[in-house]
Each structure stands twice: as C-alpha cells, then as structure tokens.
Amino acid sequence: MPRSKELNLNCYQTDKTAHRYYLDRCDSFFQEFVEQPIKLLELGVLDGGSSLLWRDYFPHGTIVGIDLKLPDVTELAKEERIHLFEGNQVDTDFLSKVANQIAPEGFDIIIDDASHIGALTKISFWHLFDNHLKPSGVYVIEDWGTGYWDDWPDGKTFQPKLSSSNEQENVQDIKLGFKDSWHNHNYGMVGFLKELVDEQGAEDLTRGLLSGRPTRKSKFHSITINPSLVFVKKNAA
Ligand SMILES: C[S@@+](CC[C@H](N)C(=O)[O-])C[C@H]1O[C@@H](n2cnc3c(N)ncnc32)[C@H](O)[C@@H]1O
C-alpha cells in the first residue's frame, strides 16, 4: 500500500495533506526510502506540520528543516528525529553547516518548499544537489507554477504567441532551414525549471552537432514534472 494511505493525514497542519495529489505523487518516488534510516532536508518549515508528516512517513528517518523564522512549537523541539535550523535558503555556508552536522554522508531526499522564487531556488538547488544530495537521491521542488503569476514577486502572466496559424507556412519554414527560437515563458520558477531541462539534455547540449561527441553526461537520472511538483533524481554513483 502507498505509504501516505497508511497515515491519518488529518493530524498534520500542512497544505501537503490538503491536496491528495501531492502525496500520491511523492509516494512513487519515496517508496524505496520508507523503511530506510534516511536523512531528509526540507527548506521551509512554517508551523512544522510537514516536519511531523515526514517524521511519520519515514519511521526510521531523520528530518531536518530550515526556515528564515522557525516556529515556536515545543512539540517539535522535543522530537528526537527532527532538527530545525534558522537561516536563509540562499546562504550556502549555512546550508553546508547544517548538512555537515546532520548528514555528512549526504541527504537522501531534499524538498524545497521555501521562497518559490526562481533565483533563490536555483542557488539552493545547485549547492545542495552538487554537494549534499546522495547519489540516487531525490530533490523535490514545489510550486513552480508561481512563475506564471503576475502577483508573485518574480512571476508573470504568459502571453502565448503563435508564429503562424498556417500549418503549411510552418512546414515551409522547416524546409528552408529557418532556426527560430520557440517563444516560451522564462519567468521565475518556470525559467529555472527550463534550465533544469537543459541539464537533463547535457549529452546533446555539449555535443553541438549531430556528428559531435558529448563532453559530459547529465547529472540527472531523470526529471519528472507534475503540476506544482518537480522530482529530480540524481544519477547513481
Ligand atoms: C510554504 S511555507 C512552508 C510550508 C511547510 N513546508 C509545510 O508544508 O507546512 C514557506 C516557508 O518558507 C520560508 N521561507 C521563505 N523564504 C525563505 C528563504 N529565503 N529561506 C528560508 N526559508 C524561507 C517561510 O518563512 C515559510 O515559513
């Protein structure tokens, strides 16, 4: 049975339990870790509801949370398997200090549910992914759709533009060898996510020509994009 179906989700004050799809999607990526003594880092603690959820989801796991401002919740402070630290997700020295103290061998799972701002998410992602996520570990990025919202600090409404409504003209363009860039959305989290697609394409991106040789493989085993949730699985060692 999927792990989330074994828990009483009404016990946790977090929006992760408000939308059934959230845990349904996590279940398939997290299943292999459920019985393991994993180390999980979550960026963004708020009231601590998700720290308690992960504590119960992974009965042998150590849960680490960081936030700009930690909640004053005594229940959390008493928890042996939960460690909370106050700091900024873009402070890479702080992130490394936390990682080296609790998970010197690396985290199995990292979840970014903090700012949902592309530039900040990118800094945490590359620092933690490269230095503090184990091989075959999973990095989850939440709420990437904020990049489409005008009322989000770095989001913007998308104005799609069709290059031509005439299919024949488009086909003709290809025959003539025109190499136009696609018109697409690059704001905030959406723009950052598209950079991750480039990383997944590293073998083709670094070979340049059909006949060229790739100079390196992608660091990603896979990237899975769902509405509001992205799962990046790191290559095995
Ligand atoms: C969506 S809430 C986290 C919700 C929590 N994970 C849950 O499921 O209940 C986002 C949290 O990220 C924190 N946050 C925002 N920007 C941050 C930053 N730059 N560094 C660290 N934490 C940040 C906020 O203080 C807030 O508590």
Side-chain angles (χ1 to χ4, degrees), residues 13-16 42 44-46 49-50 66-69 87-89 113-116 120:
Q13 284 199 348
T14 162
D15 64 356
K16 290 174 169 58
E42 184 166 41
V45 174
L46 195 63
S50 57
I66 71 130
D67 204 294
L68 284 174
K69 177 100 185 68
N88 196 318
Q89 76 170 126
D113 187 18
S115 68
H116 310 308
L120 312 192

Side-chain angles (χ1 to χ4, degrees), residues 55-74:
R55 175 203 62 183
D56 296 346
Y57 192 107
F58 300 104
H60 313 291
T62 299
I63 312 304
V64 184
I66 71 130
D67 204 294
L68 284 174
K69 177 100 185 68
L70 288 178
D72 185 16
V73 184
T74 42

Side-chain angles (χ1 to χ4, degrees), residues 199-203 206 214-220 235:
E199 175 54 36
Q200 183 70 95
E203 281 192 61
T206 60
T215 58
R216 74 168 177 89
K217 284 182 182 295
S218 173
K219 298 176 182 182
F220 302 164
N235 279 331

Side-chain angles (χ1 to χ4, degrees), residues 56 92 109 124 131 150 186 216:
D56 296 346
T92 53
I109 297 172
S124 316
N131 302 298
D150 252 341
N186 275 314
R216 74 168 177 89

